[in-house]
Amino acid sequence: MPEQTPAGVAGAGPVRDFCDAQWETEVLPLVRQHIRVPAVSPAYDPDWEAHGHLDRAVDAAAAWLRNVPLPGLRVEVLRASGRTPLLFFEIPGDGTHAEEAVLFYGHLDKQPEGDGWTGGRTAWEPAFDGTRLYGRGGADDGYALPAAVTAVRALAEQGAARPRCVGVFEAGEESGSPDLDHWFARLAPRIGGVGLVVCLDSGAGDYERLWLVTSLRGACGGTLDIRVLGDGAHSGDAGGVVPSSFRVLRQLLDRLEDGATGTLRPEALHCAIPEERLTQNREAAALLGHQVRGRFDWHGDATPVTADPEELLLNRAWRPSLEITGADGLPPTASAGNVLRPYTRVKVSLRLPPAVDSATALAEVRRLLETDPPYGTSIRFTPDRVRADGWHAPAEQPWLEAALSAASRACFDGADVARVGQGGTIPLMGNLARRFPEAQFLACGVLGPGANAHGPNESLHVPYARRLTASLSLTLNACALRSRTPE
């Protein structure tokens, strides 16, 4: 066992070596196993209980975890009828840590497989090219549990200082975490106080340094139904007399969005951007440059909405955006006859800035779409059951800021930590911020360029994941050492 200082400081070299070895022998095989389980989230698999895939994913992770040689490790799978299962673990600290725990959060459910997988790849069969591990749920978020536990174990193997750690890994995140309040109510006495929340379910600007995610957008949406006729009519007879439901749709969407710029019009969908985040955004844009747009698979001569990477990062993290993610009433082009269609129905999806209340935003969207319908047409907007507020990280305490910088430099060849806001949504983060208002937050992840979570060819950049695991271990060591010396 490598020799340690009396203060229990972990050696960066041994931590990196241990994490690399564990990824090779244990973590990578476990992530492969996870990819093979089609554990689609309940929002996309109403018969999830009968199919049993979520239970399989949770049980497999628990079985691995019960064999991890960490003194005092306790593992439990929580189940209740009609609720998604949850994996909970507790790892005692080294005996001198503060009472406040480090809370790890992640999820084991997945998005549907989707279409468009290339190179002979499929969603449910892992494929590793030496750098990237392809398959649904590897990067989002199957790697997180073994990575977190490996980070703790790297300290235990050295006899280095480590804090008490608890883990909450759910099976409903992709459905908006509908059961987490129930499970947290049961687990609260066992979790106790929390000084640091670690979420490994987010992104990275590149794979050259440790990235800290400072904010997440919220989300809301619904189904917009426009009806002008009971039955379709010959377009030669009805065209110019009956208003097209598609044209009405365009008018309604123009109430929400400037079609030329993509700017969302309602003030209720915007918020002020903190000066600190503007500065960090500027620094991230300088680091990433062309990579901000280069992470996407552009077709032909398509370009982003602006060439300015700073504005693109702000658009993604701190400004609202709209997408139509589905449609009904539109026949396939191969069988589309000359008919003025009776209705158009679309799925409206909105991403909201971190400080915008999703309920207020959704109410304003509904008012704008349903008020004063063009031509008196029948307009109905049905809000989605699931919505989520965004999240904005609290200011970093000096110990965490220093620890992240040191960890990044030690594990990424001298590159300092960078900070960026992310456009995705993790519903639990706002919940955790309210539950633990004094806690620090470490939100990070592996969803960098080419990861393509939720889409075809989702992939885990394994070299980055290894370095992230070692960086996390060193940060946990700093957390434990900090508790010994009051600020």
Side-chain angles (χ1 to χ4, degrees), residues 89-112:
F89 68 78
E90 181 176 2
I91 307 171
D94 64 354
T96 57
H97 62 289
E99 288 302 313
E100 289 186 330
V102 173
L103 172 63
F104 291 105
Y105 166 77
H107 67 92
L108 296 165
D109 59 318
K110 310 179 185 184
Q111 286 280 319

Side-chain angles (χ1 to χ4, degrees), residues 195-197 212-215 274 276-277 280 318 391-402 404 419 433 436-442 482 487:
L196 176 65
V197 175
L212 177 68
V213 174
T214 57
S215 64
E276 178 187 19
R277 300 309 180 208
Q280 292 169 352
W318 281 94
W391 168 78
H392 184 206
E396 294 165 48
Q397 293 177 359
W399 76 265
L400 181 58
E401 185 176 4
L404 293 173
R419 293 164 176 82
F436 307 110
E438 303 301 318
Q440 290 283 276
F441 280 76
L442 172 52
R482 176 250 181 187
E487 295 182 351

Side-chain angles (χ1 to χ4, degrees), residues 31-172:
V31 180
R32 288 176 181 268
Q33 176 184 346
H34 177 71
I35 288 172
R36 291 189 175 98
V37 181
V40 175
S41 199
Y44 310 99
D45 182 10
D47 297 323
W48 65 269
E49 285 186 280
H51 293 154
H53 300 311
L54 292 178
D55 286 304
R56 284 176 56 202
V58 171
D59 288 343
W64 172 81
L65 190 52
R66 290 188 176 103
N67 288 317
V68 172
L70 273 170
L73 170 64
R74 297 175 58 190
V75 182
E76 182 179 351
V77 175
L78 283 72
R79 288 188 168 90
S81 178
R83 297 192 183 276
T84 52
L86 181 138
L87 175 58
F88 176 75
F89 68 78
E90 181 176 2
I91 307 171
D94 64 354
T96 57
H97 62 289
E99 288 302 313
E100 289 186 330
V102 173
L103 172 63
F104 291 105
Y105 166 77
H107 67 92
L108 296 165
D109 59 318
K110 310 179 185 184
Q111 286 280 319
E113 60 183 312
D115 298 321
W117 293 77
T118 61
R121 307 181 192 112
T122 67
W124 311 129
E125 183 57 40
F128 186 43
D129 66 6
T131 298
R132 292 183 180 272
L133 177 64
Y134 292 89
R136 177 67 79 227
D140 183 22
D141 184 37
Y143 88 100
L145 173 66
V149 174
T150 296
V152 179
R153 190 178 168 196
L155 300 178
E157 291 291 315
Q158 285 194 51
R162 65 183 192 279
R164 173 176 170 261
C165 297
V166 296
V168 173
F169 285 78
E170 63 161 320

Side-chain angles (χ1 to χ4, degrees), residues 427-450:
L428 179 66
M429 294 301 283
N431 185 314
L432 291 177
R434 291 186 293 271
R435 287 179 179 274
F436 307 110
E438 303 301 318
Q440 290 283 276
F441 280 76
L442 172 52
C444 51
V446 296
L447 303 182

